[in-house]
Amino acid sequence: MASKESLNLCRAFLSNNRYVPLRQSFPNPNPKFQVLNQVSSQLFQTRSYSEIPKHLQHKPSVDPTLVPTTSPAAETLVPKTNETQKKKKNIANKAPVSSSLNAFEIAKFSAIADTWWDSEGPFKPLHAMNPTRLAFVRSTLCRHFGKDPYCARPLEGMKIIDVGCGGGILSEPLARMGATVTGIDAIEKNIKIAGLHSERDPATSSIEYRCVTAEKLVEEERMFDAVIALEVIEHVAEPADFCKSLAELTVPNGAMLVSTINRTIRSYAAAIVGAEYILQWLPKGTHQWSSLVTPEEIALIMHRSSISVQEVAGMVLNPFTGKWVLSDDTSINFIAYGTKNNL
């Protein structure tokens, strides 16, 4: 968990409107994880996901149309009626034109949409990073909503939207953790693939997938306990407008999580030159360095959208294990968690 000192750095930047570096090293206060490999920690400034305070900050809303199944072995939220189920599985055919859409990015990702569930394909880095992203999401949401992160369904009762869901590689595990999940994407092919894949597992078949933008859901007055947009903001045309829409989808005192790549020389060398051109983990041109956003810019954008940043963590690849780990090094990949001010 980010310490009070790191959060004060973020707040100092917002109040003084000047650059304050967030990349600092803080010890992990959780004694359960102090036995981690010390050499790895020193090299990569690694830390495990946040500890969970006991207090309850916000009670998540519960969809009244959903009831739990009677089977304790396969407890999951299911619609009461077939009509509701059809409504939740409805997939729109076209996404409306919006200021946050980037036509070039949409065309680029449409060309590789068929490979979403190929763990060795163009989305291999996301598959490898997913457990680390989920650990951070589970930790922060459980802390905020007063849930037990170690139970089988820690996100039970939460309404979560996965913005830019792609093929559903994040939406599905969120559903398995008990959340009522809505996944949206501007690419129709992604939504079709996500819907087909989710139907294979009863635990994920209730996910609502729609080919629609966040702005459109704002017009529909939809709101969620948690709004998540991972590796998306660097591909939109207007990051500030995009974040504003995410904030409007968040209930008062709800949570918002955004992850992306920092705009640094290290990120250019590692995420673009290394990952795209040398190692060829990603198709060339996947990321435009000038479109990347720094943690300070994310904090400012979220602040202007009434979202208070609570924690910023880095995600780094340990070359010795091939695993992604949470870190205090935000110079390449990072994830930010904030809460919406109770207006």
Side-chain angles (χ1 to χ4, degrees), residues 142-200:
C142 285
R143 181 174 77 241
H144 182 59
F145 293 112
K147 297 282 190 174
D148 178 8
Y150 303 108
C151 70
R153 296 170 63 81
L155 306 184
E156 189 86 61
M158 297 186 198
K159 292 174 61 177
I160 298 177
I161 183 169
D162 180 10
V163 180
C165 64
I169 64 174
L170 181 72
S171 297
E172 291 196 10
L174 291 175
R176 292 189 184 98
M177 284 191 281
T180 302
V181 181
T182 298
I184 67 171
D185 201 284
I187 301 174
E188 183 180 0
K189 198 172 184 181
N190 287 347
I191 292 299
K192 289 183 177 180
I193 290 171
L196 289 172
H197 195 274
S198 68
E199 292 288 352
R200 300 179 179 182

Side-chain angles (χ1 to χ4, degrees), residues 3 15 48 77 166 168 183 202 225 242 262:
S3 68
S15 60
S48 66
L77 294 180
D225 297 307
F242 178 68
N262 198 351

Side-chain angles (χ1 to χ4, degrees), residues 50-100:
S50 311
E51 69 278 7
I52 312 297
K54 298 180 180 179
H55 63 279
L56 176 63
Q57 295 186 7
H58 172 61
K59 183 182 294 184
S61 60
V62 179
D63 190 339
T65 65
L66 301 178
V67 293
T69 59
T70 56
S71 171
E75 185 176 353
T76 181
L77 294 180
V78 296
K80 285 183 178 180
T81 64
N82 291 333
E83 181 181 353
T84 305
Q85 185 174 12
K86 291 178 181 179
K87 180 179 178 181
K88 296 183 79 62
K89 296 303 295 183
N90 179 47
I91 297 175
N93 292 326
K94 296 181 180 180
V97 177
S98 170
S99 62
S100 72

Side-chain angles (χ1 to χ4, degrees), residues 234-343:
E234 68 269 28
H235 301 294
V236 302
E238 299 292 341
D241 292 341
F242 178 68
C243 263
K244 182 179 178 181
S245 296
L246 298 184
E248 291 177 344
L249 291 174
T250 310
V251 299
N253 205 25
M256 187 171 114
L257 294 102
V258 176
S259 68
T260 186
I261 301 174
N262 198 351
R263 192 178 65 252
T264 63
I265 297 301
R266 282 190 64 190
S267 72
Y268 182 82
I272 296 180
V273 176
E276 296 181 17
Y277 290 87
I278 298 177
L279 299 175
Q280 297 183 355
W281 286 346
L282 299 168
K284 295 177 181 178
T286 297
H287 297 106
Q288 303 297 320
W289 190 78
S290 60
S291 299
L292 302 181
V293 188
T294 69
E296 293 78 16
E297 291 167 345
I298 286 287
L300 182 59
I301 290 172
M302 293 174 74
H303 176 75
R304 289 174 174 172
S305 300
S306 300
I307 301 292
S308 298
V309 175
Q310 303 296 327
E311 183 174 358
V312 178
M315 293 182 288
V316 298
L317 178 65
N318 187 328
F320 301 114
T321 63
K323 304 290 186 180
W324 287 85
V325 293
L326 289 175
S327 166
D328 289 306
D329 180 1
T330 61
S331 63
I332 303 178
N333 293 84
F334 70 93
I335 184 168
Y337 149 67
T339 57
K340 186 172 182 178
N341 300 334
N342 195 2
L343 303 176

